[in-house]
């Protein structure tokens, strides 16, 4: 016998998801005049380029998320706890290796592409690079949780 569907929970979760998506679209639009006013046009242009580079770097997942979700669900359904541990260790090492390689490239590339970066702007570039490299780790954690919630295939 299946469990009853919590319709109120579905509506609540959908509403929060929609609010999250709306905030993600509206906040940059609303904050842009403030940021331009604080940084000036030249530094704002540099900031936009740095953000674009970090967003681009955060997409190095190479399809691991989907495969990870499927494998977590399959191994959980089979009761393969050792396989789950190996799988998680593998993607964590994969992410750590890519983080090291890409961050090792981002640091000298940032200094080469933006030779005027000094002080707080260079720190901002490094933090944005680190953030973009942590996005796949977060994505893989979400995929693992989604795989654990699936009934198995």
């Amino acid at each position: 016998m299946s469990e009853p569907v919590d319709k109120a929970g579905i509506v609540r979760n959908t509403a929060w998801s929609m609010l999250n998506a709306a905030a993600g679209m509206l906040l940059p639009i609303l904050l842009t005049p403030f940021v331009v006013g604080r940084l000036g046009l030249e530094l704002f242009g540099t900031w936009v380029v740095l953000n674009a580079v970090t967003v681009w770097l955060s997409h190095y997942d190479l399809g691991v998320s989907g495969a990870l979700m499927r494998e977590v669900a399959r191994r959980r359904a089979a009761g393969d706890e050792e396989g789950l541990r190996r799988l998680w260790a593998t993607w964590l090492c994969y992410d750590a290796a890519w983080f090291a390689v890409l961050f090792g490239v981002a640091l000298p590339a940032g200094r080469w592409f933006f030779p005027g970066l000094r002080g707080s702007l260079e720190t901002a570039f490094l933090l944005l690079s680190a953030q973009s490299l942590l996005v796949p780790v977060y994505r893989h954690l979400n995929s693992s949780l989604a795989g654990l919630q699936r009934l198995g295939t």
Side-chain angles (χ1 to χ4, degrees):
M1 183 177 213
S2 64
E3 295 180 27
V5 175
D6 179 18
K7 292 182 181 180
I10 292 172
V11 170
R12 182 180 59 249
N13 290 344
T14 301
W16 279 110
S17 292
M18 290 172 65
L19 183 63
N20 182 41
M25 290 185 281
L26 289 175
L27 279 176
I29 293 169
L30 296 174
L31 289 176
T32 297
F34 173 77
V35 174
V36 169
R38 294 287 181 167
L39 295 178
L41 285 177
E42 185 176 341
L43 281 178
F44 178 73
T46 304
W47 178 254
V48 169
V49 170
L50 293 178
N51 274 300
V53 168
T54 59
V55 167
W56 180 78
L57 283 174
S58 72
H59 292 288
Y60 72 83
D61 181 80
L62 303 176
V64 170
S65 295
L68 183 61
M69 185 186 320
R70 184 185 64 249
E71 281 301 305
V72 166
R74 187 181 68 74
R75 291 174 191 207
R76 180 171 184 250
D80 184 7
E81 289 186 24
E82 180 59 32
L84 282 171
R85 279 192 281 280
R86 282 194 316 265
L87 183 64
W88 288 327
T90 300
W91 75 253
L92 191 57
C93 289
Y94 166 84
D95 282 345
W98 270 108
F99 184 95
V101 168
L102 291 176
F103 197 71
V105 168
L107 182 60
R111 289 184 175 147
W112 186 72
F113 282 115
F114 306 105
L117 288 183
R118 293 292 176 256
S120 60
L121 199 55
E122 184 175 33
T123 302
F125 174 75
L126 294 176
L127 290 173
L128 285 169
S129 298
Q131 172 194 345
S132 70
L133 296 172
L134 291 173
V135 167
V137 174
Y138 173 74
R139 191 179 306 129
H140 295 159
L141 284 171
N142 278 340
S143 294
S144 292
L145 289 173
L148 288 173
Q149 293 173 352
R150 291 176 68 180
L151 295 176
T153 53

